[in-house]
Structure formats: structure tokens, C-alpha cells
């Protein structure tokens, strides 16, 4: 009798575990996956989507967005996605594999004009607000029943960006210096929006190294403008920066352009937390 009772309990527990597994699987399947291309889009989309949708990114941690090429596995993810959110300019490769599929595709830069093939629109709080609204529209189109949830999340995000906007404006207003030197020119839109001048030692591509003539010009610029700091993304490997710092005595200050992010940043930071750090960096180099 005891043995029969024991078998009954084991059977009952097995059924409960099985049903629980089925339930969890059903939730995952229902949510679907929204794929984003680059980290800034991934971070904004996660902040707005919250717990309602699964959000992933395609460009790997540590990869450079300008030279990234999707693998066959990436293409398979794209074609099986609920939707894809891309930036434009640097990730146009998402569109071709999705031709003829039922996957919905949304451009986060809709209504924003790129300048001189520079994709870094997300580094400006003002443009990031426009991107957030575009992503809110995408998520609401995919999941209209949770429209109010996405609206609430985007409202919180935009409130944070409004505060950052005011703080950037205050830093610039109260600073004597109105120009900055940076390794990679990823803050052109921010410079435009806050009436600053950006000088850089490389072009738009993070992997580009400056020529000897460019190095000479930068050293001269540092002397003429009495520049004390150079902004550098710690994820970029640019030996020229160390050379300039050694030859001129300027100090390196970390900045986060988010074209490249490491795994720790992707896991533990958000675009808002990195922008807070950028604010502190500008406060230092503009004083």
C-alpha cells in the first residue's frame, strides 16, 4: 500500500513539473523576440519593452558597428524574429534577408537626418528622444494590447532624457571652453545641438589610424587651443592616442560612444547610465 502511494506521489509530481514546463514554454513562445542591430537600439528598446517582449541584439559585444558582417546564424535569427529594429546607414544589411518574409522591420532613425555619414545620433539626448518615440511606435504596432505599458515606459525614459538635456545645456553654459578633442568623432550631433566644436584624431570608422600629417596637426591644435584633455572610448584600440598624450601631456578622459560595448557594459549598463558618465566627462573637459 505504501509503495502504491509512493508511486502515486512520484507520478503526480512528474505531471506538475511537465505542466509547469509547458506553461513556461508557452509564455516564451507568446512573447516572441524583437531583434535590434546595435547596442544603443538594444538598450532603448529594452527600457521601453520592459517585461512584455524579449529583446536581443545582433552586433556582438566588442564588435565595431561600421565593419560588422552578420553570420548565417544571425541571418537565421533575423528571419525567425517577431520584428527587427535597425538604425540605418551602418546596418542596412538587415533589409535584404527580410525581403519576402513576414518579419516586421522598423527604422529607429525615422525623421532624423544623418550628417556626413555619421551614424552616432544616439549620443545626443535630443535625438535620442526622437528615437525613443519611433521605437515606442514599433512596439505598440507589434503589441497594441500593451500600448499603455509602453507609453508609460517611454514617458519615464524621455523624462530622464529631458533632465540630461538640461544638464548638458547647463554644463555648456557655465563652461569657458566651447570645443573638445576626441579620439573618434562620435559626438558630432551632440556638439551641434549644444553649440560645441568637436575635433577628432580619426574619421568616422573606429578602426582608422591617423596619418603622420594628421598627428602633427592635432599636436599643433592642442598647443594653440591649450587643450588639457582628450576624450577616448576605452573600448577603442588607438595607439595614436597614447602617443599624443605622451608627446603633449594631455590627460585621457573616458567617454562612451557606444558604437562598441564590452560584455560587462552590455549586461550592467544602460544607455542612460552611460550618458550620465558622458555628462561628467564633458563637465571635466569643458571647464
Amino acid at each position: 500500500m505504501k509503495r502504491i502511494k509512493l508511486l502515486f506521489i512520484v507520478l503526480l509530481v512528474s505531471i506538475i513539473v511537465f505542466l509547469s514546463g509547458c506553461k513556461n514554454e508557452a509564455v516564451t513562445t507568446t512573447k516572441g523576440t524583437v531583434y535590434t542591430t546595435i547596442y544603443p537600439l538594444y538598450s532603448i528598446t529594452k527600457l521601453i519593452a520592459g517585461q512584455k517582449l524579449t529583446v536581443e541584439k545582433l552586433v556582438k559585444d566588442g564588435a565595431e558597428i561600421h565593419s560588422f558582417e552578420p553570420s548565417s546564424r544571425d541571418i537565421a535569427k533575423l528571419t525567425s524574429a517577431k520584428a527587427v529594429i535597425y538604425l540605418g546607414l551602418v546596418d542596412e544589411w538587415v533589409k535584404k534577408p527580410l525581403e519576402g518574409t513576414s518579419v516586421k522591420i522598423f527604422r529607429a532613425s525615422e525623421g532624423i537626418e544623418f550628417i556626413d555619414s555619421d551614424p552616432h545620433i544616439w549620443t545626443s539626448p535630443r535625438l535620442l528622444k526622437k528615437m525613443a518615440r519611433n521605437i515606442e511606435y514599433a512596439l505598440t504596432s507589434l503589441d497594441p494590447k500593451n500600448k499603455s505599458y509602453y507609453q508609460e515606459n517611454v514617458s519615464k525614459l524621455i523624462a530622464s532624457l529631458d533632465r540630461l538635456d538640461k544638464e548638458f545645456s547647463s554644463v555648456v553654459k557655465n563652461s569657458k571652453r566651447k570645443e573638445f578633442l576626441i579620439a573618434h568623432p562620435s559626438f558630432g550631433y551632440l556638439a551641434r545641438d549644444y553649440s560645441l566644436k568637436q575635433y577628432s584624431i580619426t574619421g568616422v570608422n573606429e578602426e582608422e589610424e591617423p596619418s603622420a600629417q594628421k598627428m602633427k596637426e592635432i599636436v599643433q591644435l592642442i598647443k594653440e587651443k591649450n587643450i588639457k584633455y582628450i576624450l577616448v572610448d576605452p573600448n577603442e584600440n588607438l595607439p595614436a592616442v597614447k602617443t599624443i598624450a605622451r608627446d603633449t601631456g594631455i590627460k585621457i578622459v573616458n567617454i562612451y560612444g557606444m558604437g562598441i560595448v564590452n560584455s560587462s557594459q552590455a549586461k550592467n549598463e544602460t544607455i542612460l547610465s552611460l550618458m550620465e558618465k558622458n555628462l561628467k566627462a564633458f563637465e571635466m573637459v569643458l571647464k
Side-chain angles (χ1 to χ4, degrees):
M1 184 69 178
K2 289 183 178 179
R3 186 174 181 182
I4 293 173
K5 186 178 291 186
L6 180 62
L7 287 172
F8 175 78
I9 292 171
V10 171
L11 180 61
L12 183 60
V13 170
S14 299
I15 292 171
I16 291 171
V17 170
F18 175 77
L19 291 176
S20 175
C22 290
K23 184 179 179 181
N24 290 336
E25 183 176 311
V27 170
T28 303
T29 305
T30 301
K31 288 174 72 174
T33 301
V34 175
Y35 277 98
T36 59
T37 51
I38 60 178
Y39 172 79
L41 298 184
Y42 167 74
S43 186
I44 306 170
T45 305
K46 277 188 71 69
L47 288 171
I48 300 172
Q51 302 300 314
K52 299 300 182 182
L53 291 166
T54 301
V55 180
E56 300 289 348
K57 67 181 176 68
L58 289 164
V59 175
K60 311 298 185 294
D61 297 337
E64 204 275 312
I65 63 172
H66 299 277
S67 58
F68 177 78
E69 293 185 4
S71 65
S72 56
R73 181 174 293 183
D74 294 327
I75 299 301
K77 291 176 181 177
L78 279 174
T79 54
S80 63
K82 185 180 186 73
V84 174
I85 298 174
Y86 76 113
L87 181 78
L89 197 63
V90 291
D91 51 7
E92 298 287 340
W93 44 263
V94 300
K95 294 191 288 188
K96 188 68 176 177
L98 297 178
E99 290 178 359
T101 71
S102 60
V103 179
K104 293 184 178 181
I105 183 168
F106 300 92
R107 180 173 172 140
S109 62
E110 196 68 44
I112 300 173
E113 183 179 354
F114 290 112
I115 301 172
D116 299 328
S117 300
D118 181 1
H120 303 90
I121 55 176
W122 62 83
T123 58
S124 166
R126 296 176 187 176
L127 294 183
L128 191 54
K129 285 189 282 187
K130 294 182 180 180
M131 294 171 64
R133 288 296 187 194
N134 288 338
I135 292 172
E136 176 202 8
Y137 169 79
L139 300 187
T140 300
S141 299
L142 293 171
D143 185 22
K145 70 178 182 295
N146 286 310
K147 179 178 180 179
S148 60
Y149 177 83
Y150 302 132
Q151 286 177 332
E152 182 179 352
N153 284 350
V154 84
S155 293
K156 292 177 183 177
L157 174 56
I158 288 178
S160 295
L161 292 172
D162 282 336
R163 178 181 53 78
L164 275 167
D165 183 11
K166 290 177 182 178
E167 290 179 353
F168 267 106
S169 295
S170 178
V171 165
V172 173
K173 181 180 179 181
N174 296 313
S175 298
K176 294 180 180 179
R177 190 176 293 278
K178 304 301 178 184
E179 74 278 329
F180 60 93
L181 177 63
I182 192 167
H184 174 66
S186 49
F187 287 82
Y189 296 99
L190 181 141
R192 180 199 64 184
D193 288 348
Y194 298 95
S195 301
L196 295 170
K197 175 68 177 177
Q198 173 182 247
Y199 295 103
S200 66
I201 68 171
T202 72
V204 173
N205 193 318
E206 279 97 335
E207 297 174 342
E208 178 186 340
E209 281 288 332
S211 64
Q213 179 59 34
K214 181 68 173 179
M215 292 280 282
K216 184 178 178 181
E217 291 172 2
I218 291 298
V219 170
Q220 186 63 30
L221 175 72
I222 291 169
K223 293 177 180 178
E224 289 178 359
K225 299 285 185 180
N226 192 28
I227 295 173
K228 303 295 185 183
Y229 304 97
I230 180 169
L231 293 166
V232 180
D233 192 319
N235 294 306
E236 296 170 3
N237 181 27
L238 289 171
V241 172
K242 294 180 180 178
T243 300
I244 290 174
R246 183 194 64 216
D247 293 346
T248 64
I250 61 171
K251 296 180 180 179
I252 295 173
V253 175
N254 285 346
I255 196 82
Y256 301 93
M258 292 172 267
I260 304 174
V261 293
N262 59 44
S263 56
S264 176
Q265 289 168 335
K267 181 180 179 181
N268 301 314
E269 301 277 6
T270 70
I271 193 167
L272 289 177
S273 66
L274 291 173
M275 289 183 81
E276 291 281 359
K277 292 180 179 180
N278 289 344
L279 175 66
K280 297 297 182 184
F282 274 103
E283 191 173 14
M284 178 180 291
V285 303
L286 294 176
K287 65 183 179 181

